[in-house]
Amino acid sequence: MDKKRFLIISGGNEGADTMLMLRSFLAANYGSLEKAPMIMRYLAINTDEFADAQYPEHIRLKDTEKLRIDISDIQRIVNDSQNFGHLTEDLPTEYIVSESTKRGSSRTPSQGELSMRFYLSDFSKRLDLLLQQLFDPQVFPDPGELCVIIISSGCTGTGRGIHLEVAMETKRKLVASERNHRIASYVLS
């Protein structure tokens, strides 16, 4: 029997924590992540450091499963419209330059969204690599359906800010590849 394929993408702290709880559940129920009756690939995106130290080593995310988007250049992006105007053209200035942004808080959707736009090519490259692994004909001769699950928080923060950009880029890639897929998007509250 062929194993089902899943790509789990999380945004922000809540999304990453949910991903880690899923990994814990799979390991506890099947003995290890590798013994689960499905093929899982993971990508966690965050503006904060990944806080997974409370999980056992075999549950923690590997470096290749993490994408940290740096918010330190937000003000430079906002101020340098000549080089970065394409990132901010459809966002109102008051949305981008809020008091939270000026203070450097990463817990605002505007920073998450703007950072994701700035790092979209990094995400796109990571996504290409994961899709290549999941559709490798030598590993998976049957090109069955891929289920992509996107998890983030609906509260204020990175997850809310990047959710739509991540979903749109993922959908664009899968439609362009003409691969059989299904995308489920979950916003936690």
Side-chain angles (χ1 to χ4, degrees):
M1 178 174 97
D2 287 334
K3 290 183 172 186
K4 298 276 186 191
R5 289 175 286 182
F6 291 86
L7 172 57
I8 313 296
I9 302 172
S10 69
N13 290 323
E14 295 298 322
D17 198 43
T18 302
M19 179 185 286
L20 290 162
M21 286 187 284
L22 171 65
R23 289 168 68 110
S24 295
F25 173 82
L26 292 171
N29 283 285
Y30 297 106
S32 74
L33 291 173
E34 294 76 26
K35 292 179 184 176
M38 69 278 295
I39 303 298
M40 307 285 278
R41 294 292 182 269
Y42 305 90
L43 181 58
I45 307 164
N46 206 350
T47 54
D48 295 329
E49 290 293 328
F50 289 90
D52 58 1
Q54 73 271 25
Y55 290 92
E57 184 69 35
H58 68 283
I59 300 300
R60 292 182 201 155
L61 296 167
K62 299 177 189 98
D63 287 342
T64 57
E65 297 171 325
K66 301 175 187 177
L67 177 59
R68 180 145 187 266
I69 53 178
D70 189 359
I71 62 165
S72 62
D73 289 331
I74 293 294
Q75 199 60 48
R76 183 172 62 95
I77 294 168
V78 171
N79 292 336
D80 189 356
S81 61
Q82 181 178 355
N83 291 318
F84 301 110
H86 64 287
L87 297 174
T88 61
E89 61 192 15
D90 61 339
L91 295 176
T93 304
E94 62 273 9
Y95 181 71
I96 299 167
V97 188
S98 66
E99 284 304 310
S100 295
T101 305
K102 290 176 187 173
R103 288 192 313 266
S105 170
S106 65
R107 303 200 186 301
T108 60
S110 57
Q111 287 199 359
E113 183 173 358
L114 195 55
S115 295
M116 189 64 209
R117 290 179 183 200
F118 190 68
Y119 284 93
L120 193 59
S121 66
D122 292 350
F123 169 69
S124 190
K125 289 174 191 171
R126 222 33 110 74
L127 184 58
D128 283 338
L129 181 62
L130 289 165
L131 293 175
Q132 183 180 6
Q133 292 172 5
L134 288 162
F135 284 105
D136 183 344
Q138 294 185 355
V139 178
F140 305 106
D142 173 22
E145 182 179 67
L146 171 67
C147 183
V148 179
I149 300 172
I150 303 170
I151 308 164
S152 67
S153 172
C155 300
T156 60
T158 301
R160 178 176 163 203
I162 70 172
H163 193 92
L164 188 56
E165 297 285 338
V166 167
M168 289 172 50
E169 179 67 7
T170 302
K171 180 72 173 177
R172 187 189 69 74
K173 291 255 183 210
L174 287 166
V175 168
S177 71
E178 298 181 355
R179 294 183 170 132
N180 187 11
H181 68 277
R182 179 171 33 126
I183 297 177
S185 179
Y186 298 95
V187 178
L188 308 171
S189 60

